């Protein structure tokens, strides 16, 4: 049943893209008539928060229909040292493709809405709404010129969508939207969560600040005793020093309370993991769609993430230093994540790139638990055939070490091989 449903979703997605193009022509409107908007193609590469400046004039209600499509050919192998549950033998083959449907609506001057639906994902066979948000960059709908000087640097966002903690979520694959990810896989500790939130941001000159609040929940239910909440924020500097050099440095924090909240900071991507059937054991009663991402599973926690980004001509560096600590001091435990990406983009309009990523996670689930270490290296590159179409290749190698994995299927676990990915975003 799963394959037919996904096939139907993909066919509908293709039909939608054609009809959207015809609709845009019949209305004689531009594809990019949105204010304060990150473009969903090559022009959105290395854009983090949506720009606070715009040259788009508001001409009335405008609905932009867009989408994403990704498909991988996977050639991975895996092994472990746990005889009681050996890994399945992986085959070289295509993975089920994924697709997103996106609506971005310019409602009023400075007011925009975003909505994303997963038409097809690894974790769900049926189409379902991932989330969305409402973004306010002007308050002219209250009164012409209301707080105009303040709103030149300020922004409000409200919704049920990804929160702005850290910078890795701007470079990751969000189901089929993988055009911003230079590789196929996301980071091991993938800080991406879809939660109800209210967020306030300021962009004074080359600096930025963010503060927000959420209830820390992925699935919402107003049940007794579930009254926890989480706070998050970010401070940063982002400057185009000259024509060749750009420097950005941000620091983010996240803290959740113990009021019955299960924390989804590292487990909120309901689309599933990017490598299919990796870490699956032959004796598993239930196969996880989320491996090989790693979730510390702390019920509440305090985390921070530091992200430097430097681009000099075609050379590019992006870094990650992240730490999270269990909020339950009686149990303890914590993890540290390191990441470094080096890319070189070249050719006309930097359509081609090569690079590598190093990612390392180490820590303990509890004070009296053993150490767990995960290492992953990605080597690869990509070619933008057009600004909407990207072809990627990647070689990945990952290993699991430490006595914290003893007597589990991750004891001595490792996987490696190549993955090819084709991406369309518009």
């Amino acid at each position: 049943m799963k394959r037919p449903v996904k096939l139907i979703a993909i066919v509908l997605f293709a039909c939608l893209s054609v009809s959207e193009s015809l609709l845009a022509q019949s209305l004689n409107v531009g594809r990019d008539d949105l204010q304060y908007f990150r473009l969903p193609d090559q022009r959105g590469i290395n854009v983090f928060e949506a720009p606070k400046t715009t040259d788009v004039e508001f001409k009335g209600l405008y609905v932009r229909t867009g989408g994403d499509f990704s498909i991988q050919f996977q050639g991975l192998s895996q092994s472990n040292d746990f005889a009681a549950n050996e890994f399945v033998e992986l085959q070289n083959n295509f993975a089920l493709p994924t697709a997103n449907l996106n609506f971005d609506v310019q409602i009023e001057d400075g007011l925009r809405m975003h909505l994303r639906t997963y038409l097809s994902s690894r974790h769900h066979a049926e189409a379902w709404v991932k989330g969305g948000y409402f973004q306010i960059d002007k308050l002219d709908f209250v009164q012409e010129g209301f707080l105009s000087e303040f709103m030149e640097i300020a922004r409000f966002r409200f919704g049920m969508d990804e929160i702005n903690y850290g910078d890795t979520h701007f470079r990751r694959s969000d189901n089929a939207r993988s055009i911003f990810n230079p590789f196929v896989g996301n980071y091991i500790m993938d800080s991406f969560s879809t939660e109800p939130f209210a967020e306030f941001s300021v962009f004074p000159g080359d600096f930025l600040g963010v503060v927000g609040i959420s209830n820390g929940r992925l699935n919402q239910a107003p049940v007794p005793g579930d009254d926890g909440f989480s706070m998050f924020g970010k401070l940063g500097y982002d400057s185009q020093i000259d024509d060749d050099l750009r420097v950005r440095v941000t620091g983010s924090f996240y803290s959740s309370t113990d009021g019955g909240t299960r924390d989804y900071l590292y487990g909120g991507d309901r689309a599933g993991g990017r490598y299919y059937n990796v870490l699956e054991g032959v004796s598993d009663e239930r196969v996880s769609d989320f491996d090989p991402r790693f979730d510390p599973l702390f019920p509440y926690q305090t985390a921070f993430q530091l992200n430097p980004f430097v681009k000099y001509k075609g050379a590019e560096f992006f870094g990650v230093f992240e730490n999270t600590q269990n909020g339950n001091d009686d149990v303890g435990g914590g993890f540290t994540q390191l990441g470094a990406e080096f890319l070189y983009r070249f050719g006309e309009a930097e359509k081609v790139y090569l690079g590598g990523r190093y990612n390392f996670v180490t820590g303990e689930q509890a004070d009296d638990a053993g150490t767990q270490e995960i290492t992953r290296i990605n080597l690869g590159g990509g070619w933008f055939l057009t600004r909407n179409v990207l072809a990627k290749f990647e070689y990945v190698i990952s290993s699991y070490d430490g006595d914290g994995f003893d007597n589990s299927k991750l004891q001595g676990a490792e996987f490696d091989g190549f993955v090819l990915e084709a991406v369309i975003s518009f």
Side-chain angles (χ1 to χ4, degrees):
M1 185 65 184
K2 187 174 183 180
R3 289 179 182 270
V5 171
K6 291 204 170 187
L7 180 59
I8 291 171
I10 294 163
V11 172
L12 290 174
F13 180 83
C15 294
L16 177 66
S17 66
V18 174
S19 63
E20 191 274 341
S21 177
L22 295 175
L23 178 63
Q25 294 178 28
S26 66
L27 295 178
N28 193 28
V29 295
R31 297 283 303 256
D32 303 320
D33 288 354
L34 290 169
Q35 300 174 327
Y36 313 102
F37 178 64
R38 181 189 189 185
L39 295 167
D41 52 41
Q42 186 189 4
R43 293 170 294 175
I45 298 294
N46 293 331
V47 176
F48 295 86
E49 290 81 12
K52 187 52 189 168
T53 58
T54 183
D55 57 3
V56 176
E57 180 183 355
F58 178 70
K59 299 179 180 179
L61 181 70
Y62 173 64
V63 180
R64 185 188 195 281
T65 304
D68 311 284
F69 176 86
S70 293
I71 185 170
Q72 299 92 23
F73 183 90
Q74 182 172 288
L76 300 177
S77 59
Q78 59 183 350
S79 63
N80 64 359
D81 296 336
F82 191 53
N85 191 8
E86 296 179 349
F87 285 153
V88 299
E89 183 177 352
L90 300 175
Q91 304 298 317
N92 297 346
N93 210 333
F94 286 98
L96 287 172
T98 54
N100 297 346
L101 171 63
N102 305 316
F103 290 106
D104 291 280
V105 184
Q106 194 71 51
I107 300 173
E108 278 287 351
D109 191 10
L111 273 71
R112 182 169 63 80
M113 186 199 78
H114 166 77
L115 177 67
R116 173 163 293 156
T117 296
Y118 291 161
L119 293 179
S120 172
S121 64
R122 179 183 175 188
H123 186 56
H124 283 272
E126 71 280 4
W128 54 287
V129 176
K130 170 241 179 171
Y133 59 85
F134 188 57
Q135 180 175 304
I136 304 174
D137 286 279
K138 292 183 179 180
L139 293 174
D140 288 2
F141 65 94
V142 177
Q143 182 180 338
E144 185 71 24
F146 184 69
L147 296 179
S148 58
E149 293 186 5
F150 172 69
M151 293 305 296
E152 286 181 359
I153 65 169
R155 169 179 295 158
F156 297 93
R157 285 202 316 146
F158 308 92
M160 173 74 183
D161 205 77
E162 60 190 83
I163 62 174
N164 191 4
Y165 162 79
D167 283 353
T168 56
H169 71 104
F170 294 115
R171 298 172 66 91
R172 70 185 299 281
S173 296
D174 183 9
N175 196 40
R177 192 211 64 181
S178 53
I179 199 165
F180 300 141
N181 188 347
F183 303 98
V184 176
N186 293 322
Y187 279 88
I188 298 169
M189 281 203 327
D190 189 9
S191 52
F192 173 89
S193 182
T194 303
E195 304 175 359
F197 69 90
E199 182 182 290
F200 171 67
S201 304
V202 290
F203 303 90
D206 292 334
F207 297 90
L208 65 100
V210 180
V211 63
I213 188 170
S214 168
N215 68 357
R217 296 287 294 176
L218 180 66
N219 298 315
Q220 308 305 311
V223 296
D226 193 1
D227 56 354
F229 67 94
S230 61
M231 295 283 296
F232 60 93
K234 177 186 293 187
L235 291 175
Y237 170 82
D238 190 341
S239 179
Q240 188 71 46
I241 306 297
D242 54 38
D243 291 342
D244 296 328
L245 177 63
R246 178 186 174 189
V247 176
R248 174 184 169 101
V249 181
T250 65
S252 302
F253 79 91
Y254 175 96
S255 182
S256 55
T257 69
D258 63 347
T261 300
R262 177 186 171 187
D263 200 306
Y264 285 88
L265 179 61
Y266 300 103
D269 183 8
R270 291 170 287 174
R274 299 302 294 173
Y275 303 118
Y276 286 65
N277 300 99
V278 168
L279 308 186
E280 178 182 334
V282 296
S283 301
D284 286 347
E285 295 182 1
R286 183 178 180 181
V287 177
S288 172
D289 292 331
F290 302 98
D291 289 336
R293 64 182 293 169
F294 178 76
D295 184 356
L297 295 175
F298 297 145
Y300 52 102
Q301 61 194 317
T302 297
F304 70 88
Q305 184 178 136
L306 178 65
N307 301 113
F309 171 77
V310 179
K311 182 170 172 51
Y312 179 72
K313 295 185 178 181
E316 180 178 310
F317 168 78
F318 177 76
V320 180
F321 177 80
E322 186 169 21
N323 181 269
T324 183
Q325 295 293 320
N326 190 354
N328 188 342
D329 295 333
D330 293 336
V331 177
F335 287 88
T336 297
Q337 173 168 240
L338 302 177
E341 292 181 13
F342 296 92
L343 301 175
Y344 184 69
R345 302 182 187 270
F346 57 95
E348 181 184 358
E350 297 187 348
K351 290 184 177 180
V352 182
Y353 66 87
L354 296 171
R357 174 198 289 164
Y358 172 79
N359 193 190
F360 177 71
V361 170
T362 183
E364 302 82 25
Q365 294 281 355
D367 286 341
D368 57 354
T371 299
Q372 298 176 332
E373 295 184 352
I374 307 173
T375 304
R376 190 166 300 160
I377 296 174
N378 307 77
L379 301 173
W383 173 31
F384 282 91
L385 286 73
T386 75
R387 68 187 185 190
N388 301 95
V389 181
L390 171 63
K392 293 189 277 187
F393 72 92
E394 172 189 279
Y395 177 79
V396 57
I397 180 169
S398 188
S399 61
Y400 294 71
D401 301 292
D403 54 1
F405 291 128
D406 287 352
N407 300 315
S408 75
K409 68 177 182 179
L410 296 181
Q411 177 178 309
E414 60 181 28
F415 67 88
D416 67 279
F418 70 92
V419 185
L420 307 177
E421 184 172 52
V423 183
I424 302 173
S425 288
F426 60 90

